[in-house]
Amino acid sequence: MAPEQKGDISIRHSIRWISSTSSNSDTPPPSEPTSTIVLTSPSGRFVDLRILKEDPSSPNHTSVFISPNPQTGSETEAEEAKTLPLSRLDWAIAGTSTHTSTRPTIGYYGQKLILPDGRTVNGTTADLKSGKHPYMRGRWTHWVDSRVLYTGEKGTKGINTEEWDGLSPDEAAADEGDMYRIPGEGKEKLTLEKGRMINPESGQEEEYEEVWGPDEEGVAEPPYVKCLVWELNDEARNKKGRVVKVGRWAQGILRRGNELLCERWKWVNGENEQTRWMLEARVRGYIGGEERREVDDKDGRHVDEPSTFPEALIAGMISVGEPGKTKEVGDTVKESNGDTWTLVEWCH
C-alpha cells in the first residue's frame, strides 16, 4: 500500500537577475517569459520544465500558448500544434531536491523585495530572529539537464552549455537557493527563492530572485493517486527519463544522448470537455543541433526513430490506484523498442 503523502506543485511567477555590476536603479523589474512548473514527489524526485511563452507578457503562468487549446481537425493535429522546437525550451531538469533549515547565504532581510505586482516587502533582522518569514535552503541535484551537452569526447565544449566529461555528465550538476515565505494577500502563498547561477543571456554567474506559488485551490484532480513517478534508466543505450505526476499536472523528460523530449500534461474534467489527460506542451530536438542525430553511413538516412513516452504511462497515471488495477513500486511498462519504465514511487 502506498503511503498517504503529498507531492508539491510549484509554479514560477517571476524571475529577476541582479548583476554585480549594476546599480539598484539599473536592475530590471521581475518578469516571467516562461511557463515554469516544477513537480516534486514526497521523496524529492522532481521534473522541472521551463518553456518560453508564446506571449512573454501573458499573466497566465501555466500556459505556454496564447490559445491553450488550438481548434484543429483531429487530436493528432492538436498535439502537433503544441509540439515546439528545442529553441522554445529555456531549461528542463529531472533530479532530486532536499530542503533544510539554515541561515541564508544571500541576504533578503534588510533589503527591499519587489513582488511581481509591484508591491514591496521590507525585511529586518528582527523578522529573522522572530521567524516572521521562515526560510529554508534548497538543493536540486540534476539527473537529466537540458543545458548539458553530451559529447562522448573528453574535453569537448558545447555551445551555450556547461562543459562536462564522460558519458553521463548531467548527474554532476546541482544548484542551490534560499527559500523565504513572503507575505501575501488573502489565500496567496508566495515563496521567494534567492541564489546564484549562470544567467543564459550574459553567460555570467549572477544573483537571482524567483517568486513561486502553488497550484490553484479547489481544481479537479484525477482519482485514486495524488502522485507517482515512472523512470527509465538504460545505461547501455545512454537513455534515461522520468515522468512525475502530482495532482492535476504531469511532466516528463526523456533523453537519449543529445536527443531530448519534454512533455507536460493536464487533467481535464470539465462539463464541455472529455475527462482525460490532455497534452499541454511538447518540446523535442537535439541539444547542440540536428547534426548530432545518428546517420547511416550508406544512405545518409537517420537510423533512430524519434523518442516517445509510452501511451501506457498516461493510462497508468489514472489507473495505478484504481481497484483491481493497483500497481506496486517495481512494476514495469515495457515497450517494443526495448524501453522499460519502472514505477519507483506513488502515493494516495
Side-chain angles (χ1 to χ4, degrees):
M1 179 64 68
E4 294 187 5
Q5 301 181 52
K6 286 186 62 178
D8 180 76
I9 303 172
S10 293
I11 300 170
R12 198 175 72 179
H13 288 212
S14 70
I15 183 169
R16 179 168 69 146
W17 293 97
I18 306 172
S19 172
S20 59
T21 60
S22 302
S23 63
N24 289 337
S25 59
D26 295 331
T27 300
S31 64
E32 186 46 89
T34 74
S35 172
T36 293
I37 300 178
V38 184
L39 304 180
T40 307
S41 73
S43 71
R45 294 183 177 95
F46 72 88
V47 169
D48 177 347
L49 296 186
R50 310 181 182 201
I51 306 171
L52 294 169
K53 294 178 184 177
E54 192 172 11
D55 176 8
S57 64
S58 170
N60 186 341
H61 301 310
T62 60
S63 179
V64 176
F65 304 98
I66 296 175
S67 176
N69 299 308
Q71 301 299 315
T72 52
S74 67
E75 185 173 338
T76 300
E77 289 174 333
E79 290 194 358
E80 285 302 316
K82 294 181 179 180
T83 301
L84 302 170
L86 206 59
S87 59
R88 287 287 296 277
L89 182 69
D90 179 52
W91 206 355
I93 314 166
T96 305
S97 64
T98 56
H99 292 81
T100 54
S101 298
T102 184
R103 195 171 183 83
T105 56
I106 299 178
Y108 151 57
Y109 295 91
Q111 299 180 10
K112 180 188 293 184
L113 166 68
I114 304 175
L115 300 183
D117 60 7
R119 289 182 294 130
T120 60
V121 177
N122 290 302
T124 66
T125 303
D127 289 340
L128 176 61
K129 292 180 178 178
S130 67
K132 182 177 179 181
H133 305 306
Y135 59 88
M136 302 283 286
R137 183 155 188 81
R139 177 178 173 83
W140 297 267
T141 302
H142 302 185
W143 184 56
V144 181
D145 187 332
S146 68
R147 291 184 179 176
V148 173
L149 176 67
Y150 163 66
T151 64
E153 300 176 6
K154 195 172 182 62
T156 305
K157 282 189 176 181
I159 300 173
N160 297 325
T161 61
E162 300 177 45
E163 179 183 3
W164 299 94
D165 297 331
L167 297 180
S168 189
D170 26 10
E171 293 186 21
D175 60 274
E176 299 185 14
D178 293 319
M179 316 290 290
Y180 309 87
R181 281 294 178 88
I182 55 180
E185 296 178 356
K187 295 183 178 180
E188 188 178 29
K189 298 176 182 178
L190 297 178
T191 299
L192 168 70
E193 177 188 338
K194 289 180 69 71
R196 295 185 66 86
M197 63 180 176
I198 299 295
N199 182 340
E201 292 190 5
S202 68
Q204 303 297 314
E205 184 179 84
E206 297 178 8
E207 184 178 345
Y208 70 88
E209 293 179 346
E210 292 177 319
V211 175
W212 299 86
D215 196 16
E216 299 174 46
E217 295 184 359
V219 294
E221 295 185 3
Y224 310 121
V225 291
K226 291 289 185 183
C227 65
L228 60 79
V229 182
W230 291 95
E231 283 186 1
L232 165 70
N233 191 9
D234 188 338
E235 294 184 1
R237 295 190 295 164
N238 196 27
K239 194 171 186 178
K240 53 187 178 180
R242 176 179 293 165
V243 173
V244 177
K245 176 264 181 193
V246 181
R248 64 169 179 160
W249 294 101
Q251 296 188 145
I253 179 171
L254 176 59
R255 182 164 183 172
R256 176 177 59 185
N258 283 311
E259 181 191 7
L260 189 70
L261 172 65
C262 304
E263 293 187 0
R264 177 185 293 163
W265 304 275
K266 183 172 73 171
W267 174 256
V268 176
N269 185 18
E271 296 180 359
N272 300 321
E273 294 184 272
Q274 183 182 1
T275 299
R276 62 190 177 95
W277 285 98
M278 179 179 291
L279 179 72
E280 283 287 294
R282 173 189 291 133
V283 179
R284 66 162 72 248
Y286 285 79
I287 302 170
E290 187 77 12
E291 63 272 14
R292 294 189 174 275
R293 190 173 177 184
E294 190 175 352
V295 176
D296 189 300
D297 293 335
K298 295 180 179 180
D299 56 21
R301 293 186 301 176
H302 292 122
V303 299
D304 56 334
E305 292 293 326
S307 293
T308 60
F309 290 102
E311 289 291 333
L313 289 193
I314 311 302
M317 286 192 289
I318 302 173
S319 63
V320 164
E322 185 177 353
K325 299 182 180 180
T326 300
K327 293 183 180 294
E328 299 295 339
V329 169
D331 287 352
T332 59
V333 168
K334 296 183 179 180
E335 289 287 280
S336 58
N337 64 0
D339 290 351
T340 299
W341 290 82
T342 303
L343 183 64
V344 296
E345 183 178 357
W346 73 279
C347 64
H348 291 297

